[in-house]
């Protein structure tokens, strides 16, 4: 059965190819070549071998069942013709994207708020699991969502991913598409005219073997803020604020930090260049979290990356990426959310 959505990619070659093609889409650079387009098309159609898809960095534990930096796959919009089984389908001028979260003015230094949460969290009883199989659930959406090989631009089709992780790092997971979402009736009508792609749920299950414990990224997360900073930087060629936020979002896809580890993470983020506090905001699951944002060009285009933490226990609630003022060759109108994850 055909299934959807950012087919998992792994391997150093695919990671580097994605990075190279994405960089070519930066409007400050030359236009992508036909070879670039062919390379990206190949990446999009290649099933991966690992648990997650890799993107934009040196060899590392495969990542991003959805954090493919939504931009890289979505960039194919300029190169690939969106079709359905009945032929080319009418598509909106700009892809439909979710409404941004309702951020508020924080008016407080991010470092101070992070330290307050860290102090509160460090005194909590240890709630980290010991042994046995752990279960992780996320709901997410990315601009790069694909159904039956075609990029979906006429609807917002989230996914729900459930992962079971054993003590040796081996995993099994199931990804299922959720009900298409729209901001108004006009969007729903356009989606219907385009063939109602994604109306029927699609599901995919897979698994991966034990983790490579020689890789520091698979080691236990440290409880010292400086060591946490180094651990988050493992596997990245550069260490800017965008990479730091990206790493946090990835590492917590299949990990549950203890209170001491969460406190170390919050304190490690205090030194992130340009980090701002955007107040408390309700995430897409209806939970209120403290929002912290950095501006970056991680992935090739200017964007804001936001992490939401539960102010009571320090758990990561959500991660979002939003293009700010330049979409390059992507078919979205900035500002536009291009990726979100809610950690359930």
């Amino acid at each position: 059965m055909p299934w959807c959505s950012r087919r998992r990619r792994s391997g150093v070659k695919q990671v580097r190819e994605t990075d190279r093609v994405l960089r070519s889409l930066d409007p400050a650079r030359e236009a992508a070549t036909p070879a670039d387009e062919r390379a990206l098309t190949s990446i999009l159609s290649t099933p991966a071998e690992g648990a997650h898809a890799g993107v934009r960095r040196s060899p590392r534990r495969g990542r991003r069942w959805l954090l493919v930096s939504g931009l890289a796959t979505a960039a194919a919009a300029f190169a690939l013709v969106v079709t359905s089984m009945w032929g080319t389908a009418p598509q909106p001028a700009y892809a439909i994207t979710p409404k941004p979260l309702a951020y508020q003015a924080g008016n407080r230094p991010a470092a101070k708020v992070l330290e307050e949460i860290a102090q509160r969290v460090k005194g909590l009883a240890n709630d980290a699991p010991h042994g046995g199989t752990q279960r992780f659930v996320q709901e997410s959406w990315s601009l790069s969502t694909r159904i039956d090989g075609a990029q979906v631009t006429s609807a917002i089709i989230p996914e729900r991913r459930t992962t079971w992780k054993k003590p040796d790092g081996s995993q099994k997971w199931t990804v299922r598409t959720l009900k298409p979402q729209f901001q108004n009736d006009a969007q729903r009508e356009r989606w219907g005219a385009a063939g109602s792609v994604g109306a029927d749920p699609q599901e995919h299950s897979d698994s991966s073997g034990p983790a490579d414990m020689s890789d520091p990224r698979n080691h236990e997360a440290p409880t010292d803020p400086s060591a946490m900073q180094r651990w988050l930087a493992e596997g990245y060629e550069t260490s800017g604020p965008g990479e730091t936020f990206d790493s946090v979002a990835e590492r917590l896809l299949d990990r549950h930090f203890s209170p001491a580890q969460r406190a170390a993470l919050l304190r490690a983020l205090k030194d992130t260049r340009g980090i701002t506090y955007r107040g408390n905001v309700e995430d897409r699951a209806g939970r209120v979290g403290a929002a912290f944002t950095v501006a970056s060009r991680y992935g090739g285009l200017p964007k804001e990356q936001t992490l939401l933490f539960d102010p009571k226990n320090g758990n990561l609630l959500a991660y979002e990426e939003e293009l700010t003022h330049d979409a390059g060759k992507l078919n979205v109108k900035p500002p536009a959310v291009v990726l979100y994850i809610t950690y359930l």
Side-chain angles (χ1 to χ4, degrees):
M1 177 182 72
W3 62 284
C4 75
S5 189
R6 300 171 299 286
R7 301 192 177 194
R8 275 165 283 289
R9 307 176 270 299
S10 65
V12 178
K13 180 178 179 181
Q14 291 174 326
V15 170
R16 291 176 176 170
E17 286 291 346
T18 301
D19 185 27
R20 180 174 63 83
V21 174
L22 180 59
R23 285 198 305 269
S24 73
L25 301 180
D26 189 326
R29 297 176 180 268
E30 297 180 357
T33 66
D36 290 333
E37 297 176 2
R38 289 194 298 272
L40 181 54
T41 302
S42 174
I43 292 170
L44 295 175
S45 62
T46 304
E49 302 166 0
H52 304 298
V55 65
R56 189 174 167 65
R57 39 194 166 279
S58 57
R60 58 176 304 174
R61 180 170 54 89
R63 184 237 180 137
R64 286 219 192 195
W65 53 283
L66 69 77
L67 288 183
V68 304
S69 187
L71 306 177
T73 312
F78 82 93
L80 304 178
V81 177
V82 178
T83 62
S84 70
M85 60 186 297
W86 299 281
T88 301
Q91 298 293 319
Y94 293 106
I96 295 174
T97 58
K99 290 183 178 180
L101 298 180
Y103 298 108
Q104 305 172 17
N107 296 325
R108 298 184 64 201
K112 185 174 182 178
V113 180
L114 286 165
E115 178 59 31
E116 289 176 354
I117 301 175
Q119 290 180 4
R120 187 180 306 125
V121 169
K122 194 166 184 179
L124 298 177
N126 190 1
D127 56 4
H130 298 283
T133 298
Q134 299 179 43
R135 178 173 174 267
F136 303 89
V137 179
Q138 295 100 22
E139 288 187 2
S140 65
W141 173 86
S142 170
L143 182 62
S144 61
T145 297
R146 300 176 70 80
I147 301 288
D148 292 341
Q151 184 188 1
V152 179
T153 60
S154 59
I156 300 164
I157 304 180
E159 292 181 341
R160 184 179 181 92
R161 179 185 176 95
T162 304
T163 302
W164 295 267
K165 182 179 180 181
K166 294 183 177 180
D168 65 358
S170 60
Q171 298 185 16
K172 293 183 179 180
W173 62 88
T174 297
V175 182
R176 180 180 177 84
T177 60
L178 303 177
K179 183 179 179 180
Q181 300 176 5
F182 311 91
Q183 294 186 16
N184 51 55
D185 291 339
Q187 291 181 354
R188 184 181 295 276
E189 291 175 2
R190 179 67 64 87
W191 169 73
S196 300
V197 177
D200 296 326
Q202 298 192 28
E203 186 172 299
H204 172 72
S205 298
D206 212 333
S207 62
S208 65
D212 177 8
M213 297 312 297
S214 66
D215 187 336
R217 292 162 296 188
N218 292 326
H219 295 174
E220 187 74 11
T223 57
D224 173 75
S226 296
M228 177 66 76
Q229 287 179 332
R230 294 191 295 271
W231 184 73
L232 290 173
E234 288 284 353
Y236 287 82
E237 295 176 355
T238 54
S239 57
E243 288 86 338
T244 299
F245 270 45
D246 181 88
S247 181
V248 172
E250 175 197 353
R251 304 294 170 94
L252 286 167
L253 286 173
D254 57 6
R255 285 184 174 88
H256 180 80
F257 281 6
S258 69
Q261 291 169 327
R262 298 198 294 271
L265 172 62
L266 293 165
R267 286 173 170 147
L269 291 176
K270 288 166 52 178
D271 295 329
T272 305
R273 185 176 69 253
I275 188 170
T276 60
Y277 171 56
R278 303 182 71 181
N280 287 338
V281 61
E282 184 175 300
D283 74 1
R284 300 180 192 276
R287 305 166 301 180
V288 175
F292 301 90
T293 297
V294 293
S296 80
R297 294 187 67 95
Y298 178 67
L301 292 170
K303 61 183 175 182
E304 291 182 339
Q305 296 166 250
T306 299
L307 294 168
L308 270 71
F309 292 97
D310 188 319
K312 296 180 180 178
N313 57 33
N315 283 325
L316 179 63
L317 300 180
Y319 171 72
E320 305 239 344
E321 292 186 2
E322 182 176 355
L323 292 184
T324 52
H325 61 274
D326 185 354
K329 295 181 180 180
L330 303 180
N331 63 329
V332 295
K333 188 175 182 179
V337 174
V338 292
L339 169 72
Y340 72 72
I341 312 172
T342 56
Y343 299 75
L344 304 176

